[in-house]
Amino acid sequence: KHFTVVTGLPSSGKSVWVRWYLAEFIRHNNDKEEIKWALFTPENRPVSREQAKIAEVLAEQSFRRGFKNSMTEDKRARTMQFIQKHFFFISPNKLNYETWDHKIDADHVNSMSSLLKYLEYLKKTENIFGFVIDAWNKIEHEQPKNMTETTFISKQLDYLINFCDVWDLHCILIAHPTKIEKVGINYRMPCLYDIKGSSAWKEKPDIGIIIHRNIYKKD
């Protein structure tokens, strides 16, 4: 199991690529073991929105009804059954969350400690293969006042890597880069060092993936 970091400019398709990768990973390994993934995707709440986007990747058709390329009702039902079997969604909020024996309160439902408690539970009960965090900035970070951002991120990534080692999990983490300058009419392709906060984004992962596209083409 590995620790993977995915980055890229806004609207470059990071989340889209990750959904495609998860779907293909399950398809290509389903004859070996029942692959299950957990997803923490606050940018795509409610959960039904994320489920619909995964369904479109799996079916290669529109989830919305009434379009030429819409799924049939039968295909929609089969696709949703597949999602319920292979995907688990972590989406706590202040009105609906686990306290984990009173260790988590309403103001920390999206903290790293809360997230890892859910993942630990899903590993024990569903034997998940891995998990996705989309995105890093959506975690409610608890940075000590006397600690720099660079040191805090480095320690948090170490904490996450150690968690994956202990529980035998693969982590895919999406992190946004800082502001990227233009090169001509397009933006420069970012690298892992461009992710905000620390050079640890380049130094810690086993795998680094950059999603990039040129929006404008020269005539």
Side-chain angles (χ1 to χ4, degrees):
K1 307 296 174 66
H2 293 99
F3 175 52
T4 299
V5 171
V6 179
T7 193
L9 296 172
S11 302
S12 60
K14 299 182 292 297
S15 300
V16 174
W17 183 88
V18 168
R19 292 188 198 103
W20 169 84
Y21 174 79
L22 298 184
E24 292 301 301
F25 189 91
I26 293 169
R27 282 169 172 160
H28 286 282
N29 290 281
N30 218 20
D31 59 332
K32 302 172 187 175
E33 59 179 309
E34 191 172 277
I35 301 293
K36 299 177 181 179
W37 288 90
L39 287 82
F40 176 71
T41 58
E43 290 187 341
N44 280 303
R45 286 177 175 162
V47 166
S48 57
R49 182 182 178 193
E50 182 66 29
Q51 289 174 327
K53 291 185 176 184
I54 294 173
E56 290 182 335
V57 171
L58 291 165
E60 299 181 358
Q61 289 180 293
S62 175
F63 190 78
R64 294 179 295 174
R65 293 178 173 90
F67 291 86
K68 185 178 180 180
N69 192 38
S70 295
M71 302 176 203
T72 64
E73 292 304 315
D74 179 64
K75 192 167 189 178
R76 176 191 293 265
R78 286 187 286 108
T79 302
M80 292 307 295
Q81 286 177 353
F82 184 92
I83 291 172
Q84 290 168 7
K85 181 179 179 180
H86 293 282
F87 294 92
F88 297 88
F89 300 88
I90 301 171
S91 186
N93 59 65
K94 292 187 177 184
L95 299 178
N96 184 20
Y97 67 97
E98 295 287 343
T99 65
W100 305 116
D101 296 326
H102 305 290
K103 294 178 182 178
I104 305 295
D105 58 41
D107 292 326
H108 299 87
V109 295
N110 289 312
S111 65
M112 178 70 80
S113 56
S114 173
L115 172 59
L116 297 188
K117 286 290 185 182
Y118 279 100
L119 293 170
E120 181 181 331
Y121 173 80
L122 288 171
K123 179 64 178 180
K124 291 177 179 178
T125 58
E126 300 292 343
N127 193 29
I128 58 173
F129 179 89
F131 60 95
V132 173
I133 299 175
D134 183 8
W136 172 258
N137 64 320
K138 292 299 180 178
I139 298 175
E140 296 172 355
H141 296 292
E142 301 166 326
Q143 180 178 338
K145 293 182 179 180
N146 61 344
M147 185 180 293
T148 65
E149 184 180 30
T150 298
T151 301
F152 175 74
I153 290 176
S154 181
K155 288 183 175 294
Q156 288 293 94
L157 295 185
D158 283 338
Y159 183 35
L160 201 54
I161 291 168
N162 290 336
F163 176 83
C164 291
D165 287 341
V166 170
W167 292 102
D168 191 28
L169 290 167
H170 186 135
C171 170
I172 298 177
L173 192 159
I174 296 177
H176 301 307
T178 55
K179 187 176 182 180
I180 301 296
E181 69 276 8
K182 277 190 170 183
V183 177
I185 59 176
N186 285 291
Y187 287 96
R188 171 179 64 82
M189 183 171 72
C191 65
L192 297 183
Y193 280 128
D194 289 315
I195 300 175
K196 185 177 183 296
S198 175
S199 62
W201 291 111
K202 170 67 175 177
E203 297 157 0
K204 304 281 185 180
D206 299 295
I207 302 168
I209 296 172
I210 298 165
I211 307 298
H212 187 70
R213 66 179 69 187
N214 289 328
I215 300 175
Y216 303 105
K217 293 182 179 180
K218 291 183 179 180
D219 294 332

